């Protein structure tokens, strides 16, 4: 994708993200239909569906040849990342949206032939837009994000860690994960993968590790983290395949090897 084409797509995507966010804020206190998907903790609301439909409708009108991967089912049956593919989570952090009315985001990643070209993560209630275009740096609203530091003491690291890692699980011995938590300075969990990627890019956290995410959870975040010099792999250090769900680690490169080799691989089941 050339720069002119990327810039044109970015401007439209940015407008649509901000418009969708404004619509969510206006409807925040209206009654919602809330359903469950895979389990009782996997929520979807009318707002999720309406927001994804808004993106799908706009994209197809302007770019009928572009493909869409969407969490709520309005996208295409995508079997490869050839061409231009929009990867959308209309509300990442639906449980937060339902229970807290904050700490959720719109996440839009745009890829061309498998390469992340554009990433947009919009913290709707805080009105913070994290954005990046390939090779042009990352921003929070209009302020450039600083590249991640090239040195970091591990015992001063802040990690985003889902609490399920500390319970018995099918991926890693929980004792090894408890050791990780005791070794770093602190851990946090925000309930929105998109926001946690944004916080890694911003330097609010040094890394984020999670058990199982899909393309719409991470596509935008990968682009943004890349632009500040971060790295994203599976939690075991393998390349990410956006067409498959996987455990995910995104972090400052200076702590990546320590997390993967020192804890994840040693505790792998």
């Amino acid at each position: 994708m050339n720069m002119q084409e990327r810039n044109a797509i970015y401007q439209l995507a940015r407008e649509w993200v901000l418009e969708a966010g404004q619509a969510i804020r206006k409807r925040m206190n209206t009654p919602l239909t809330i359903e469950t998907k895979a389990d009782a903790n996997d929520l979807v609301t009318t707002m999720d569906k309406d927001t994804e439909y808004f993106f799908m409708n706009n994209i197809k009108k302007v770019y009928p040849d572009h493909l869409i991967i969407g969490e709520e089912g309005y996208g295409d049956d995508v079997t490869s990342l050839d061409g231009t593919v929009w990867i959308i989570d209309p509300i990442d952090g639906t449980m937060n949206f339902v229970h807290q009315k904050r700490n959720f985001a719109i996440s839009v990643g745009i890829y061309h032939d498998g390469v992340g070209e554009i990433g947009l993560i919009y913290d709707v209630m805080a009105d913070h837009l994290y954005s990046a275009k390939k090779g042009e740096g990352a921003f929070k609203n209009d302020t450039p994000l600083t590249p991640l530091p090239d040195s970091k003491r591990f015992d001063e690291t802040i990690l985003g860690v889902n609490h399920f890692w500390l319970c018995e699980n099918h991926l890693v011995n929980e004792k090894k994960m408890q050791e990780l938590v005791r070794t770093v300075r602190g851990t946090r969990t925000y309930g929105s993968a998109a926001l946690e990627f944004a916080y890694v890019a911003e330097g609010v956290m040094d890394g984020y590790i999670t058990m199982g995410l899909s393309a719409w959870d991470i596509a935008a975040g990968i682009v943004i983290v890349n632009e500040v010099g971060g790295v994203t792999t599976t939690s075991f250090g393998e390349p990410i395949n956006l067409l498959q769900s996987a455990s995910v680690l995104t972090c400052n490169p200076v702590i990546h090897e320590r997390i993967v080799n020192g804890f994840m691989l040693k505790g792998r089941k």
Side-chain angles (χ1 to χ4, degrees):
M1 183 181 291
N2 62 48
M3 182 178 292
Q4 183 177 1
E5 182 181 7
R6 182 167 57 240
N7 287 340
I9 294 172
Y10 171 84
Q11 290 302 326
L12 275 179
R14 185 179 188 276
E15 289 174 15
W16 293 337
V17 165
L18 294 175
E19 184 178 344
Q22 183 178 39
I24 290 171
R25 287 193 297 270
K26 284 183 177 179
R27 294 175 56 193
M28 177 59 69
N29 295 313
T30 60
L32 291 172
T33 299
I34 302 170
E35 302 170 357
T36 60
K37 294 187 287 187
D39 56 54
N41 296 325
D42 190 5
L43 305 181
V44 60
T45 72
T46 48
M47 197 81 79
D48 294 79
K49 294 179 179 179
D50 291 350
T51 303
E52 183 165 302
Y53 182 81
F54 165 82
F55 281 107
M56 183 276 295
N57 195 42
N58 280 289
I59 293 164
K60 291 299 185 181
K61 282 181 180 177
V62 180
Y63 302 110
D65 58 328
H66 289 190
L67 298 177
I68 301 169
I69 298 174
E71 181 174 14
E72 309 309 338
Y74 289 108
D76 300 292
D77 182 16
V78 176
T79 57
S80 84
L81 295 179
D82 294 343
T84 302
V85 183
W86 296 59
I87 306 176
I88 300 169
D89 194 337
I91 296 181
D92 184 77
T94 300
M95 189 178 295
N96 291 347
F97 169 72
V98 170
H99 290 278
Q100 302 175 353
K101 299 189 184 302
R102 62 178 65 87
N103 296 323
F104 63 89
I106 298 170
S107 178
V108 177
I110 303 172
Y111 283 63
H112 184 74
D113 290 340
V115 176
E117 298 281 351
I118 295 167
L120 295 158
I121 295 173
Y122 186 40
D123 184 336
V124 174
M125 302 310 291
D127 192 25
H128 293 158
L129 178 63
Y130 297 86
S131 64
K133 290 179 280 184
K134 182 177 178 291
E136 298 184 37
F139 295 81
K140 180 181 180 181
N141 294 336
D142 295 322
T143 302
L145 296 181
T146 304
L148 299 181
D150 56 9
S151 63
K152 185 76 182 182
R153 282 181 47 170
F154 200 68
D155 62 357
E156 295 179 350
T157 294
I158 301 291
L159 292 181
V161 178
N162 185 292
H163 297 144
F164 284 110
W165 284 111
L166 308 181
C167 306
E168 185 176 352
N169 65 83
H170 68 285
L171 290 176
V172 177
N173 185 295
E174 66 276 12
K175 297 295 184 183
K176 203 65 186 172
M177 297 305 295
Q178 292 164 17
E179 180 186 339
L180 172 62
V181 169
R182 288 192 298 267
T183 303
V184 298
R185 171 167 281 176
T187 60
R188 301 290 183 269
T189 184
Y190 294 94
S192 164
L195 287 180
E196 303 207 50
F197 265 79
Y199 297 158
V200 171
E202 190 178 0
V204 174
M205 298 193 303
D206 302 294
Y208 168 55
I209 185 168
T210 186
M211 280 192 174
L213 294 178
S214 298
W216 45 78
D217 300 305
I218 63 176
I222 290 173
V223 178
I224 296 170
V225 168
N226 282 351
E227 286 300 308
V228 294
V231 61
T232 305
T233 65
T234 72
S235 60
F236 301 107
E238 300 148 350
I240 293 289
N241 181 349
L242 286 173
L243 298 179
Q244 297 176 354
S245 296
S247 63
V248 174
L249 169 63
T250 188
C251 62
N252 187 319
V254 301
I255 63 170
H256 183 267
E257 183 179 355
R258 178 79 179 271
I259 294 172
V260 171
N261 294 331
F263 297 94
M264 303 308 302
L265 292 176
K266 284 186 176 179
R268 189 173 194 172
K269 290 183 177 178

